[in-house]
Amino acid sequence: MITCLAIDDEPLALQQLSRYIQRVPFLDLKAQCQSALEAREVMKREAIDAIFIDINMPDLNGMDFVRSMPIPPIVVFTTAYSEYAIEGYKVDAVDYLLKPFGLEELQRAALKVKERYELKQAASAATETKDGDDTIFVKSDYSVVPVKLGDIAYIEGMSEYLKIHLEGQKPLVVLLSMKKMEERLPAHFMRIHRSYIVNLDKIRQVNKNRIVVGSDTWLPVGDLYREAFNNYISQRILGK
């Protein structure tokens, strides 16, 4: 079952949306929320896979709510304003339902949610690393691909996707979060920025708050990760 929330500040619209969701057999509606702030509190207590959310709401609109989450769930926007459609896809929403919509339209959106959910689950299950392993398996372009850890120069975060930069090969794009990848990698990989994980064995130069990997790729070291990275470097400097 795919756990989800229905979020709309209009009670009648929320009631209708919730009824539609409850008629989809693979969706498990955990709560009906009348604001993004209420939804945020529910998501602190519950693991939510997807949200069906109105955009134009007081206090915190749906678009800003999704943008505020480091790793948002699967998103379907619902709104009466068609001009939001392009913005919705910029935050990687799987669908955009223009009010008033019917059950059939909701069901089509739900199938897109299911497809994205299954892809994420497959990517997560396919990415495995144990101590001593030198290979991970990732799902890319609907295939499971082996990747030797020694070939990875760095990993770049792009919303819900990651780009694995490999030495002498084309990068691989996989549907996976930075946090999940970070948890799977061994100790010689380090998060140096909200958007970058680097193979420490591939660092060619450290220059203030930047490093060089590969032939000539400069990567920033973010403020949140600088202390840990500098400690790693300091412990290995000879001739202090």
Side-chain angles (χ1 to χ4, degrees), residues 187-188 190 199-201 203 226-237:
H188 63 279
M190 180 179 286
N199 184 344
L200 296 168
D201 296 339
I203 295 177
R226 188 168 299 142
E227 183 177 357
F229 179 74
N230 287 342
N231 287 341
Y232 170 83
I233 296 298
S234 296
Q235 291 168 8
R236 289 158 178 79
I237 291 178

Side-chain angles (χ1 to χ4, degrees), residues 84-200:
Y84 285 121
I86 294 176
E87 290 299 314
Y89 290 114
K90 283 182 180 179
V91 296
D92 204 27
V94 298
D95 209 349
Y96 175 96
L97 297 175
L98 186 62
K99 297 178 181 179
F101 54 86
L103 175 59
E104 186 176 342
E105 293 165 287
L106 186 282
Q107 289 173 328
R108 285 198 295 267
L111 287 174
K112 293 180 183 180
V113 169
K114 185 172 183 286
E115 182 181 352
R116 176 69 65 86
Y117 174 80
E118 290 174 347
L119 186 58
K120 291 176 73 172
Q121 291 297 105
S124 180
T127 306
E128 296 184 359
T129 305
K130 298 179 181 178
D131 291 341
D133 286 350
D134 64 356
T135 302
I136 59 173
F137 290 85
V138 298
K139 192 171 182 66
S140 179
D141 293 331
Y142 303 99
S143 299
V144 176
V145 181
V147 178
K148 290 190 178 296
L149 294 175
D151 290 340
I152 299 174
Y154 65 98
I155 298 165
E156 180 182 3
M158 304 183 302
S159 185
E160 290 186 349
Y161 294 85
L162 300 180
K163 182 181 284 189
I164 303 175
H165 294 265
L166 304 166
E167 288 189 326
Q169 304 173 51
K170 291 183 178 179
L172 287 174
V173 177
V174 301
L175 181 62
L176 199 67
S177 71
M178 288 288 279
K179 185 175 185 297
K180 183 67 70 174
M181 178 62 86
E182 191 176 11
E183 290 171 352
R184 302 278 186 167
L185 291 171
H188 63 279
F189 286 83
M190 180 179 286
R191 183 87 171 261
I192 61 164
H193 187 275
R194 66 188 302 271
S195 299
Y196 296 106
I197 297 172
V198 68
N199 184 344
L200 296 168

